[in-house]
Amino acid sequence: MNLLFISTWGAKCGIATYCASLAHALKSLGHNISVLSEATDIYSLNSTQTDRDIPNYPCWSRRGSLETIYRMIKSSPVKPEVCHFQHELGLFPNTEEFTTLVKKLGELGIKQFATYHTVSPEYSFSRVEARAIVHSHEAALVMSSLGCPSDVIYHGVTSQESDTLNAGDSLKLTARGQEYLIALIPGFVVANKRTLEIALAILRETRHWVIITGEPRDEMYSNLLISKLNASGLA
């Protein structure tokens, strides 16, 4: 089967890593895989030889028109049978344009899936004519409330060996005479990842120390995050 992924690729990005793992797994099963990726300097700097085993064509940008994707697919001598979008609100912020792109690809007879890595009540998912995939039961409930049925594929991680922790160990900290579990919040520190809301929820409901280990991408939001946590009286 000819499968096309539309995603970030070869970058320091969780979606790019997820897509690469999925693409290589499907390739090992005998499918023909290709990628239309976001064209950024990050791709050329961080791509690996393994990633280049799969044909990749950087051709679109989150700040530009998605029409390039349609033209690339329409002009291809070998049309994909399935197109799989790795969707995130930061990558496809324009609802109207994304909806139009999916509809036009459907008119070419291409089956489409969209994995939504972030869901939001403000986004009109129900208008997108692509089968929806989400990573959690909670995300599926949000999608259902918006009139968009979805399938859940729970988000997995690749395990890595540690010199300091054994499998199943919890990170613990003794402070002020009490023992606390440590909650790690990875990922980019940006508003649409809801880092502040996650940290406050953990602090309100449990005796955890919260350590935000993600990479700050927005200095203004990072300053707001620190200010709000300090003002909460919980941190």
Side-chain angles (χ1 to χ4, degrees):
M1 182 177 289
N2 295 320
L3 306 176
L4 175 67
F5 287 93
I6 298 175
S7 174
T8 53
W9 188 259
K12 185 180 180 182
C13 166
I15 291 176
T17 302
Y18 175 86
C19 184
S21 296
L22 180 57
H24 286 292
L26 290 170
K27 181 182 177 182
S28 71
L29 296 176
H31 297 291
N32 297 317
I33 311 295
S34 56
V35 180
L36 295 185
S37 69
E38 184 181 27
T40 65
D41 291 339
I42 293 177
Y43 167 74
S44 59
L45 291 174
N46 293 281
S47 60
T48 66
Q49 189 61 48
T50 301
D51 289 336
R52 289 177 181 157
D53 289 343
I54 291 177
N56 169 45
Y57 307 94
C59 65
W60 59 274
S61 168
R62 69 190 73 188
R63 297 179 182 86
S65 171
L66 300 180
E67 181 65 20
T68 308
I69 295 174
Y70 176 72
R71 290 200 302 265
M72 288 282 287
I73 295 173
K74 187 177 181 181
S75 63
S76 174
V78 180
K79 297 288 190 298
E81 297 168 71
V82 174
C83 179
H84 189 169
F85 290 92
Q86 300 299 323
H87 185 284
E88 206 276 331
L89 299 176
L91 293 177
F92 300 102
N94 189 321
T95 310
E96 294 293 334
E97 191 174 20
F98 182 71
T99 301
T100 299
L101 171 61
V102 171
K103 184 176 181 179
K104 290 170 68 174
L105 292 178
E107 291 170 353
L108 296 178
I110 300 171
K111 294 180 180 179
Q112 296 173 82
F113 293 81
T115 292
Y116 293 104
H117 295 270
T118 306
V119 300
S120 169
E122 291 82 27
Y123 201 94
S124 302
F125 296 102
S126 61
R127 296 176 53 202
V128 181
E129 298 175 9
R131 186 164 178 175
I133 299 170
V134 294
H135 287 316
S136 69
H137 175 67
E138 290 74 17
L141 290 177
V142 173
M143 297 291 274
S144 178
S145 72
L146 298 172
C148 182
S150 59
D151 296 305
V152 179
I153 298 178
Y154 291 99
H155 212 162
V157 296
T158 302
S159 61
Q160 296 182 350
E161 292 185 4
S162 169
D163 294 333
T164 57
L165 293 175
N166 295 316
D169 282 353
S170 297
L171 290 172
K172 295 184 179 180
L173 175 70
T174 300
R176 305 188 186 114
Q178 298 186 44
E179 189 177 75
Y180 294 83
L181 291 174
I182 298 177
L184 300 178
I185 303 178
F188 296 135
V189 180
V190 290
N192 69 340
K193 296 289 188 182
R194 302 289 196 266
T195 309
L196 174 60
E197 289 81 355
I198 293 170
L200 288 174
I202 294 171
L203 288 168
R204 288 188 183 115
E205 298 299 327
T206 62
R207 262 202 359 236
H208 280 60
W209 275 51
V210 174
I211 299 177
I212 299 171
T213 59
E215 178 181 329
R217 283 297 181 93
D218 182 335
E219 184 176 356
M220 184 178 296
Y221 180 72
S222 297
N223 291 335
L224 174 67
L225 178 69
I226 295 170
S227 174
K228 292 284 188 181
L229 287 174
N230 288 336
S232 71
L234 299 170

